[in-house]
Amino acid sequence: MPELLPTIKSPEDLKGFNAAQLDQLAAEIREVLCNLVATRTAHFASNLGVVELCIALHRTFDFTQDRLIWDTGHQVYPHKLVTGRYDQFNTMRTKGGLMGYPNPHESEYDLFMTGHAGASVSTVMGLASGDFLNGNPDRHSVAVIGDGAFPSGMVFEALNNAKALNGNLLIILNDNKMSICPRVGGVADYFDRLRMNPFYTGFKNEVVKALNMVPVFGDPTERFLAQLKEGVKAGLHGGMLFEELGINYIGPIDGHNIQLLRKYLEMVKTQKGPTLLHVVTEKGHGYDPAAEDPVYYHTPPILKKSDDSCEAPKSSGGSKAYTNYARDAIAEVMRKNESVTVMTAAMCQGTKMEPLRDEFGDRFFDTGICESHTVAFAAGQAKAGLRPIVNIYSTFLQRSFDQVFQEVALQDLPVVFTMDRAGITAADGPTHHGMYDIGYMRLFPNMIVMAPGDADELTEMVNFAVTVDHPTAIRYPKTNAENIGRDRQPIELGKAEVLKQGSDGAVICYGTQLAEAKKAVEMLAKDGLNVTLVNARFAKPIDSETILPILKESPFVVTVEEAALMTGFGSALLEAANEAGVDASHVKRLGIPDLFVQHGDRAEILAELNLDSLGIAKVCRELAAAHDQISSKH
């Protein structure tokens, strides 16, 4: 049972702790983290790695006045514990409980709800600038950003502007050699060189001190010595990249030594101008299995808790998810067609792409957290005659909106977008729900937008997409896959599938809630309602030939989609009806209303939105009853 954590009502309480107690607090935080992942899935290894850094930050700064942004926000659990949320911590990632990311509705210490990577440096620059202009120049603005997030293009856009900033800006580079998976690219290599450079020992200090004693005079030999002096200093100065941008570089230092961290944080508080403090941490620190395999323990399955340890359960094999079906379909088309490539943006593990990385080494690309680059890179490959598949979460693909427009759709290039996590992502909450891809993809000319009704149809859509000479988008959710037994009609561009004909109403489903829609139609049949069921398949081009006659003939029509109603499939149907002059006043759209859906259990959220079988059936009954009442009056 923790001794110190329950006494912390705010970071101010840390000021009464001595060095030994701060170390004890770090151990207690890790114990609480272990207890949490013994009850539910949660971000684990990343939080184990920032415990000491979090304590040192809150012991050094006053974040009721100063500013703190965590990037990305999944490493925020220790921060929540030391900002007075220990008593609520057991509600983490449950409906109505604490969010697994910073949440301003929970605490004044959470300034932004941050779930996407790379925005922190820009954001804290804005905070520092705002404080300066508002007459608060002594406030400090701090961004904690991981080395996996650091290569994001926006970070370098911010660094490029940092030199001109008025205000106190501190960027803490949390360097643990990892994104969710091992990070990739030249920036990662640069950080490795900084960390491993032997001149970070006292030898570097002595050499630089000696070089400072070289005098600068006027003759050619002396000018040569001066140039040599500056050149060698540049070579020894590991942070030269940042220094050239006008950013003071300090480090790297041990990120698991609280006293050392406090010493350096106190020092950088007095530094003028933007400063980058390079902190080296270990993802999974303090729990050996997580440190040895930080990819698996990023968000592990529920751990088995014993008296003195937590153990990862052995894989049960479980049900196959839509992610697995997409991965296997992509692998199959890559085996059949050597012009097919696949790329992901630092989500190799989440998209289950490790086998493809191993099998198709030269045709698999992990671009890091650089979605805009990924899409433009895919466009270049397509222009060169390849068939690239961009496999990215729906919520992260938003970050490449302009490249989808300019480099892909405008050029009408055959890039396939397989959008994982489309719809409700449950415990991750509003930063990660994939609500908006239907709208932001179908608005572009040349784009084909589709969603499978079940697992086997996802495989067929991947096969179909790589044969189309236009950009295509396929969405599928984060959940166990289902199949609907039927004589499946083959995928045909812009064609829906009618599963059942009825005269009392119609349900038109776009996406994998088709199984729930089918159950609802079966329930309604038991009530004596004979309802049509349509698997829409395409949001663009929509199958007007099939769907508009159903609108004309049905007393009511319910559209079902696990996405935002605004600009979604239901909107596309209403647009098609309006263009054709077909009355659509009897259409009821089921989906995500104009709000940010909070975190919780997926089934609970879908039920609240009437997107499960019971909800769909209930809405149909209400519409049928309303129609009967109107009919009886006439």
Side-chain angles (χ1 to χ4, degrees):
M1 179 68 184
E3 175 187 344
L4 299 176
L5 262 178
T7 69
I8 298 175
K9 303 307 176 187
S10 80
E12 183 71 17
D13 296 323
L14 297 179
K15 293 182 178 178
F17 292 175
N18 59 33
Q21 287 174 314
L22 291 176
D23 288 336
Q24 179 185 337
L25 178 63
E28 290 184 8
I29 289 174
R30 288 195 169 90
E31 179 186 357
V32 170
L33 293 174
C34 190
N35 290 338
L36 177 68
V37 293
T39 62
R40 67 184 67 96
T41 60
H43 294 103
F44 188 46
S46 55
N47 282 291
L48 290 172
V50 297
V51 172
E52 287 83 6
L53 175 59
C54 174
I55 292 171
L57 278 167
H58 282 286
R59 182 66 177 78
T60 305
F61 292 90
D62 175 9
F63 289 116
T64 61
Q65 298 299 315
D66 298 323
R67 317 292 202 154
L68 176 63
I69 302 288
W70 294 88
D71 185 352
T72 62
H74 63 235
Q75 58 188 336
V76 79
Y77 295 15
H79 165 83
K80 294 202 176 197
L81 285 168
V82 301
T83 53
R85 284 170 274 184
Y86 169 75
D87 291 341
Q88 304 164 269
F89 199 72
N90 64 348
T91 69
M92 179 69 74
R93 287 167 59 91
T94 62
K95 190 172 184 296
L98 294 180
M99 187 180 178
Y101 295 87
N103 186 352
H105 300 295
E106 291 176 11
S107 170
E108 65 176 325
Y109 294 100
D110 298 1
L111 297 183
F112 283 81
M113 196 179 289
T114 52
H116 289 193
S120 61
V121 181
S122 298
T123 305
V124 295
M125 282 176 61
L127 288 166
S129 174
D131 286 336
F132 181 84
L133 293 173
N134 286 328
N136 297 301
D138 295 331
R139 280 183 164 177
H140 296 269
S141 290
V142 182
V144 180
I145 181 168
D147 54 327
F150 205 92
S152 299
M154 190 191 308
V155 174
F156 286 88
E157 293 173 21
L159 295 178
N160 187 51
N161 284 273
K163 187 174 184 178
L165 178 73
N166 288 313
N168 298 315
L169 172 66
L170 172 61
I171 304 162
I172 297 178
L173 171 59
N174 174 30
D175 181 1
N176 60 20
K177 299 188 289 184
M178 294 291 295
S179 181
I180 291 176
C181 298
R183 76 262 197 289
V184 297
V187 175
D189 293 343
Y190 178 64
F191 290 157
D192 287 342
R193 289 195 299 274
L194 291 185
R195 190 186 313 103
M196 301 306 294
N197 192 335
F199 288 112
Y200 280 114
T201 63
F203 178 59
K204 171 187 175 181
N205 295 330
E206 292 306 313
V207 172
V208 172
K209 190 184 299 181
L211 285 167
N212 281 330
M213 297 172 65
V214 175
V216 179
F217 300 108
D219 63 54
T221 303
E222 290 158 347
R223 284 199 298 273
F224 171 75
L225 278 174
Q227 292 164 0
L228 177 65
K229 167 186 172 179
E230 293 305 313
V232 176
K233 284 183 71 176
L236 296 177
H237 202 309
M240 206 64 191
L241 168 65
F242 304 109
E243 295 283 344
E244 289 294 330
L245 291 171
I247 299 167
N248 302 307
Y249 173 86
I250 298 172
I253 64 169
D254 180 2
H256 298 295
N257 183 326
I258 296 176
Q259 294 307 108
L260 181 68
L261 285 165
R262 287 179 59 196
K263 172 186 171 183
Y264 274 87
L265 290 171
E266 289 289 354
M267 178 178 70
V268 298
K269 277 177 73 173
T270 64
Q271 195 91 14
K272 296 300 181 183
T275 300
L276 187 143
L277 177 62
H278 187 169
V279 174
V280 176
T281 62
E282 177 184 48
K283 191 170 183 178
H285 188 78
Y287 178 63
D288 289 343
E292 292 165 7
D293 190 357
V295 174
Y296 179 79
Y297 282 93
H298 178 75
T299 312
I302 298 173
L303 303 188
K304 294 180 180 178
K305 182 79 165 65
S306 62
D307 290 340
D308 56 355
S309 68
C310 291
E311 296 180 3
K314 294 180 180 179
S315 176
S316 61
S319 299
K320 195 173 178 180
Y322 285 103
T323 299
N324 299 82
Y325 275 88
R327 185 265 321 274
D328 293 346
I330 293 168
E332 191 58 32
V333 297
M334 291 181 76
R335 293 185 190 108
K336 292 177 180 176
N337 185 345
E338 291 189 356
S339 69
V340 177
T341 64
V342 67
M343 54 200 68
T344 188
M347 288 294 157
C348 186
Q349 186 214 29
T351 55
K352 308 297 182 188
M353 286 281 161
E354 296 101 323
L356 278 69
R357 177 190 61 198
D358 298 338
E359 183 176 352
F360 307 103
D362 61 344
R363 289 191 284 147
F364 173 88
F365 303 89
D366 184 346
T367 58
I369 306 177
C370 302
E371 292 83 0
S372 293
H373 159 68
T374 308
V375 174
F377 178 65
Q381 284 196 345
K383 193 72 171 179
L386 299 180
R387 289 281 181 161
I389 298 174
V390 177
N391 189 241
I392 294 181
Y393 293 6
S394 166
T395 186
F396 296 148
L397 188 61
Q398 294 162 188
R399 294 156 59 90
S400 62
F401 180 82
D402 192 56
Q403 286 65 48
V404 174
F405 164 33
Q406 290 280 314
E407 278 65 47
V408 177
L410 186 61
Q411 320 302 325
D412 197 14
L413 292 171
V415 176
V416 177
F417 297 94
T418 50
M419 300 177 293
D420 203 334
R421 270 61 167 180
I424 301 296
T425 59
D428 283 332
T431 60
H432 281 60
H433 294 319
M435 304 294 194
Y436 310 110
D437 54 87
I438 301 174
Y440 72 69
M441 293 303 257
R442 78 174 181 91
L443 61 83
F444 292 125
N446 299 324
M447 185 70 70
I448 296 166
V449 183
M450 50 187 162
D454 64 6
D456 287 342
E457 200 161 87
L458 173 55
T459 300
E460 293 172 16
M461 284 188 173
V462 172
N463 291 329
F464 170 77
V466 296
T467 68
V468 177
D469 292 327
H470 305 284
T472 56
I474 307 169
R475 75 187 316 261
Y476 50 93
K478 179 188 179 183
T479 189
N480 289 335
E482 295 185 75
N483 268 313
I484 298 172
R486 66 191 187 280
D487 292 329
R488 192 185 308 277
Q489 299 172 21
I491 303 295
E492 185 179 347
L493 179 61
K495 283 295 181 181
E497 178 188 31
V498 179
L499 276 65
K500 180 180 180 293
Q501 292 276 9
S503 58
D504 295 326
V507 174
I508 304 174
C509 183
Y510 181 70
T512 58
Q513 286 306 98
L514 184 63
E516 294 297 307
K518 184 173 182 288
K519 291 176 190 174
V521 167
E522 291 167 352
M523 292 178 196
L524 295 169
K526 294 178 181 178
D527 296 343
L529 289 172
N530 186 19
V531 175
T532 295
L533 178 61
V534 178
N535 174 21
R537 287 182 169 171
F538 290 86
K540 183 184 180 184
I542 199 166
D543 188 357
S544 297
E545 185 178 323
T546 298
I547 291 174
L548 293 185
I550 291 172
L551 260 65
K552 292 177 183 178
E553 297 161 7
S554 301
F556 68 84
V557 174
V558 174
T559 65
V560 178
E561 59 189 311
E562 193 180 332
L565 289 172
M566 198 176 293
T567 75
F569 169 77
S571 294
L573 183 145
L574 293 179
E575 291 163 14
N578 181 66
E579 189 172 333
V582 174
D583 177 34
S585 60
H586 57 309
V587 174
K588 173 69 175 178
R589 297 176 300 150
L590 294 182
I592 314 299
D594 187 20
L595 54 81
F596 291 113
V597 177
Q598 300 305 307
H599 63 281
D601 178 77
R602 173 179 163 81
E604 283 183 317
I605 294 171
L606 291 172
E608 282 188 358
L609 296 167
N610 287 324
L611 288 173
D612 64 349
S613 58
L614 293 175
I616 296 166
K618 181 189 75 172
V619 170
C620 288
R621 291 189 191 100
E622 291 170 354
L623 293 172
H627 177 266
D628 290 344
Q629 189 175 22
I630 293 170
S631 298
S632 65
K633 290 181 180 178
H634 295 283

